[in-house]
Amino acid sequence: MPTILITGSNRGLGLEWCRQYVQAGWRVLATCRFPAEAKALQQLKKENNALTLHRLDVTDHDQIHTLAKELADHPIDLLINNAGVYFEKYVRPDQTTDYGAWAHTFSVNSIGAMRVSRAFLDHLRRSQKRLIVAITSHMGSIAEIENPGSYFYRSSKAALNAAMKGFSLELKPLQIGVLLLHPGWVRTQMGGPDGLLSPQESVENMRNRVDTFTLADSGRFLRYDGHEIPW
Protein backbone atom coordinates (compact mmCIF):
# COMPACT_ATOMS: atom_id res chain seq x y z
CA MET A 1 0.00 0.00 0.00
CA PRO A 2 1.57 3.35 -1.02
CA THR A 3 1.79 6.10 1.62
CA ILE A 4 1.15 9.83 1.45
CA LEU A 5 1.92 12.49 4.08
CA ILE A 6 -0.07 15.73 3.89
CA THR A 7 0.48 18.93 5.88
CA GLY A 8 -2.39 21.29 6.70
CA SER A 9 -4.93 18.47 6.42
CA ASN A 10 -7.71 19.84 8.60
CA ARG A 11 -9.66 21.73 5.93
CA GLY A 12 -9.84 22.85 2.31
CA LEU A 13 -7.37 21.33 -0.11
CA GLY A 14 -5.53 19.38 2.58
CA LEU A 15 -8.71 17.62 3.67
CA GLU A 16 -9.59 16.90 0.04
CA TRP A 17 -6.15 15.37 -0.62
CA CYS A 18 -6.85 13.09 2.34
CA ARG A 19 -10.32 12.12 1.09
CA GLN A 20 -9.19 11.29 -2.42
CA TYR A 21 -6.12 9.29 -1.47
CA VAL A 22 -7.99 7.30 1.19
CA GLN A 23 -10.59 6.46 -1.46
CA ALA A 24 -7.79 5.46 -3.84
CA GLY A 25 -6.52 2.89 -1.33
CA TRP A 26 -3.45 4.71 -0.01
CA ARG A 27 -2.23 4.90 3.58
CA VAL A 28 -2.72 8.55 4.53
CA LEU A 29 -0.64 10.30 7.19
CA ALA A 30 -2.72 13.42 7.82
CA THR A 31 -1.12 16.25 9.81
CA CYS A 32 -2.36 19.52 11.25
CA ARG A 33 -1.64 21.81 14.19
CA PHE A 34 -4.70 20.93 16.27
CA PRO A 35 -5.95 17.38 15.57
CA ALA A 36 -8.49 17.52 18.43
CA GLU A 37 -10.27 20.39 16.65
CA ALA A 38 -10.16 18.83 13.16
CA LYS A 39 -13.69 17.39 13.22
CA ALA A 40 -13.99 16.57 9.50
CA LEU A 41 -10.60 14.87 9.55
CA GLN A 42 -11.52 12.89 12.66
CA GLN A 43 -14.70 11.72 10.94
CA LEU A 44 -12.72 10.63 7.89
CA LYS A 45 -10.40 8.69 10.19
CA LYS A 46 -13.39 6.87 11.75
CA GLU A 47 -14.57 5.87 8.30
CA ASN A 48 -11.23 4.47 7.14
CA ASN A 49 -8.46 3.04 9.30
CA ALA A 50 -5.92 3.63 6.52
CA LEU A 51 -5.83 7.26 7.68
CA THR A 52 -3.86 8.25 10.77
CA LEU A 53 -3.90 11.71 12.30
CA HIS A 54 -0.75 13.42 13.59
CA ARG A 55 -0.01 16.75 15.24
CA LEU A 56 2.34 18.93 13.22
CA ASP A 57 3.10 22.64 13.13
CA VAL A 58 5.40 23.19 10.15
CA THR A 59 7.11 26.09 11.96
CA ASP A 60 8.09 23.88 14.92
CA HIS A 61 11.46 22.21 14.32
CA ASP A 62 11.10 19.83 17.27
CA GLN A 63 7.61 18.69 16.28
CA ILE A 64 8.74 17.97 12.74
CA HIS A 65 11.71 15.85 13.79
CA THR A 66 9.73 14.06 16.51
CA LEU A 67 7.13 13.04 13.94
CA ALA A 68 9.84 11.95 11.50
CA LYS A 69 11.22 9.64 14.21
CA GLU A 70 7.75 8.31 15.08
CA LEU A 71 7.18 7.46 11.42
CA ALA A 72 10.67 6.06 10.86
CA ASP A 73 9.30 2.68 9.76
CA HIS A 74 7.03 4.23 7.11
CA PRO A 75 8.41 4.78 3.60
CA ILE A 76 6.58 7.83 2.18
CA ASP A 77 5.81 7.75 -1.53
CA LEU A 78 4.28 11.20 -1.76
CA LEU A 79 4.76 14.26 0.47
CA ILE A 80 2.25 17.09 -0.04
CA ASN A 81 3.42 20.41 1.43
CA ASN A 82 -0.03 21.95 1.63
CA ALA A 83 0.07 24.00 4.86
CA GLY A 84 -0.08 27.71 4.16
CA VAL A 85 -1.31 31.11 5.36
CA TYR A 86 -2.54 34.24 3.58
CA PHE A 87 -2.95 36.94 6.21
CA GLU A 88 -3.37 39.82 3.75
CA LYS A 89 -6.29 38.54 1.73
CA TYR A 90 -8.63 41.17 3.13
CA VAL A 91 -6.05 43.87 3.93
CA ARG A 92 -5.67 46.94 1.68
CA PRO A 93 -2.13 47.54 0.33
CA ASP A 94 -2.10 51.05 1.81
CA GLN A 95 -2.55 49.78 5.37
CA THR A 96 0.40 49.60 7.76
CA THR A 97 2.61 46.63 6.99
CA ASP A 98 2.73 44.06 9.78
CA TYR A 99 6.29 42.80 9.47
CA GLY A 100 5.73 40.17 12.15
CA ALA A 101 2.91 38.67 10.06
CA TRP A 102 5.17 38.84 7.00
CA ALA A 103 7.90 36.91 8.82
CA HIS A 104 5.36 34.33 10.01
CA THR A 105 4.07 33.94 6.45
CA PHE A 106 7.61 33.08 5.34
CA SER A 107 8.00 30.69 8.26
CA VAL A 108 4.92 28.72 7.20
CA ASN A 109 4.78 29.04 3.41
CA SER A 110 8.49 28.90 2.55
CA ILE A 111 10.67 27.65 5.39
CA GLY A 112 8.05 25.24 6.74
CA ALA A 113 7.81 23.33 3.47
CA MET A 114 11.59 22.99 3.29
CA ARG A 115 11.84 21.89 6.93
CA VAL A 116 9.27 19.15 6.44
CA SER A 117 10.76 18.01 3.14
CA ARG A 118 14.27 17.69 4.55
CA ALA A 119 13.07 15.89 7.68
CA PHE A 120 11.32 13.20 5.62
CA LEU A 121 13.95 12.66 2.92
CA ASP A 122 14.95 9.25 4.26
CA HIS A 123 11.30 8.15 4.27
CA LEU A 124 10.96 9.28 0.65
CA ARG A 125 14.20 7.61 -0.41
CA ARG A 126 12.90 4.23 0.80
CA SER A 127 9.62 4.48 -1.16
CA GLN A 128 8.57 3.70 -4.72
CA LYS A 129 7.07 7.03 -5.89
CA ARG A 130 9.64 9.38 -4.26
CA LEU A 131 7.86 12.65 -4.91
CA ILE A 132 7.60 15.96 -3.02
CA VAL A 133 4.77 18.28 -4.06
CA ALA A 134 4.74 21.92 -2.96
CA ILE A 135 1.34 23.58 -3.16
CA THR A 136 2.34 27.04 -4.35
CA SER A 137 0.51 29.76 -6.27
CA HIS A 138 0.68 31.62 -9.55
CA MET A 139 0.94 34.66 -7.25
CA GLY A 140 4.53 33.52 -6.64
CA SER A 141 5.26 34.18 -10.31
CA ILE A 142 7.07 37.50 -10.69
CA ALA A 143 6.15 37.52 -14.37
CA GLU A 144 2.43 37.45 -13.50
CA ILE A 145 2.37 40.33 -10.99
CA GLU A 146 -0.17 42.82 -12.37
CA ASN A 147 -1.51 44.50 -9.22
CA PRO A 148 -0.13 45.90 -5.96
CA GLY A 149 -0.65 44.20 -2.63
CA SER A 150 -0.39 40.69 -1.13
CA TYR A 151 3.31 41.31 -0.56
CA PHE A 152 3.64 38.75 2.25
CA TYR A 153 1.94 35.97 0.32
CA ARG A 154 3.47 36.70 -3.08
CA SER A 155 7.02 36.92 -1.76
CA SER A 156 6.63 33.80 0.39
CA LYS A 157 5.45 31.77 -2.60
CA ALA A 158 8.18 33.18 -4.84
CA ALA A 159 10.69 32.14 -2.16
CA LEU A 160 9.10 28.69 -1.96
CA ASN A 161 9.39 28.34 -5.74
CA ALA A 162 13.05 29.36 -5.76
CA ALA A 163 13.93 27.06 -2.87
CA MET A 164 12.08 24.07 -4.30
CA LYS A 165 13.55 24.60 -7.76
CA GLY A 166 17.04 24.46 -6.28
CA PHE A 167 16.05 21.54 -4.05
CA SER A 168 14.89 19.60 -7.11
CA LEU A 169 18.43 19.79 -8.52
CA GLU A 170 19.88 18.56 -5.23
CA LEU A 171 17.47 15.62 -5.05
CA LYS A 172 17.53 14.51 -8.69
CA PRO A 173 20.65 12.31 -8.24
CA LEU A 174 18.77 10.60 -5.39
CA GLN A 175 15.86 9.87 -7.77
CA ILE A 176 13.54 12.02 -5.63
CA GLY A 177 11.29 14.39 -7.57
CA VAL A 178 9.93 17.85 -6.71
CA LEU A 179 6.81 19.33 -8.30
CA LEU A 180 5.44 22.86 -7.78
CA LEU A 181 1.66 23.03 -8.28
CA HIS A 182 -0.72 26.00 -8.40
CA PRO A 183 -4.15 24.62 -7.38
CA GLY A 184 -6.15 27.32 -9.14
CA TRP A 185 -8.65 29.65 -7.52
CA VAL A 186 -10.48 27.25 -5.22
CA ARG A 187 -13.58 27.68 -3.07
CA THR A 188 -11.89 27.20 0.31
CA GLN A 189 -11.55 29.35 3.41
CA MET A 190 -8.41 30.87 1.85
CA GLY A 191 -9.77 31.17 -1.68
CA GLY A 192 -13.20 32.47 -0.71
CA PRO A 193 -16.68 31.64 -2.05
CA ASP A 194 -16.10 33.06 -5.55
CA GLY A 195 -13.39 30.58 -6.53
CA LEU A 196 -13.68 28.95 -9.93
CA LEU A 197 -12.96 25.41 -8.71
CA SER A 198 -14.22 23.16 -5.96
CA PRO A 199 -11.59 21.43 -3.80
CA GLN A 200 -12.56 18.15 -5.45
CA GLU A 201 -11.95 19.51 -8.96
CA SER A 202 -8.63 21.10 -8.00
CA VAL A 203 -7.25 18.01 -6.29
CA GLU A 204 -8.45 15.68 -9.04
CA ASN A 205 -6.51 17.77 -11.55
CA MET A 206 -3.41 17.95 -9.36
CA ARG A 207 -3.54 14.19 -8.85
CA ASN A 208 -3.32 13.84 -12.62
CA ARG A 209 -0.07 15.82 -12.50
CA VAL A 210 1.19 13.50 -9.76
CA ASP A 211 0.14 10.36 -11.64
CA THR A 212 1.90 11.39 -14.84
CA PHE A 213 5.03 12.76 -13.12
CA THR A 214 8.43 11.55 -14.26
CA LEU A 215 11.82 12.67 -12.97
CA ALA A 216 12.21 14.77 -16.13
CA ASP A 217 9.40 16.98 -14.71
CA SER A 218 11.23 17.67 -11.45
CA GLY A 219 11.39 21.35 -10.56
CA ARG A 220 8.58 22.39 -12.90
CA PHE A 221 6.06 25.09 -11.89
CA LEU A 222 2.63 24.02 -13.19
CA ARG A 223 -0.99 25.02 -12.96
CA TYR A 224 -3.41 22.36 -11.76
CA ASP A 225 -4.31 21.67 -15.43
CA GLY A 226 -0.70 21.02 -16.43
CA HIS A 227 0.12 24.36 -18.06
CA GLU A 228 3.55 25.80 -17.28
CA ILE A 229 3.70 29.01 -15.25
CA PRO A 230 6.49 31.54 -15.92
CA TRP A 231 8.80 32.23 -13.00
Side-chain angles (χ1 to χ4, degrees), residues 12 49 58 66 91 96 136 160 204 221:
N49 60 14
V58 301
T66 296
V91 175
T96 301
T136 183
L160 173 64
E204 283 176 352
F221 180 18

Side-chain angles (χ1 to χ4, degrees), residues 91-163:
V91 175
R92 299 194 314 272
D94 61 333
Q95 290 181 321
T96 301
T97 299
D98 183 339
Y99 291 104
W102 196 340
H104 185 69
T105 300
F106 260 78
S107 186
V108 176
N109 293 359
S110 312
I111 300 170
M114 287 296 295
R115 276 180 167 156
V116 172
S117 298
R118 282 210 178 275
F120 287 92
L121 277 184
D122 186 58
H123 305 68
L124 286 152
R125 193 184 307 200
R126 291 184 283 114
S127 74
Q128 294 296 312
K129 183 73 174 174
R130 297 184 174 193
L131 178 58
I132 297 168
V133 172
I135 303 303
T136 183
S137 172
H138 75 107
M139 291 177 71
S141 165
I142 293 173
E144 293 197 356
I145 295 175
E146 297 178 346
N147 298 295
S150 295
Y151 303 122
F152 309 173
Y153 188 75
R154 286 186 186 279
S155 61
S156 72
K157 290 300 187 179
L160 173 64
N161 292 349

Side-chain angles (χ1 to χ4, degrees), residues 8 13 32 40 46 57 64 71 81 88 132 143 180 182 190 193 197:
L13 289 174
C32 64
K46 288 178 183 178
D57 181 338
I64 293 169
L71 299 175
N81 285 297
E88 315 154 89
I132 297 168
L180 292 146
H182 166 51
M190 183 183 289
L197 298 168

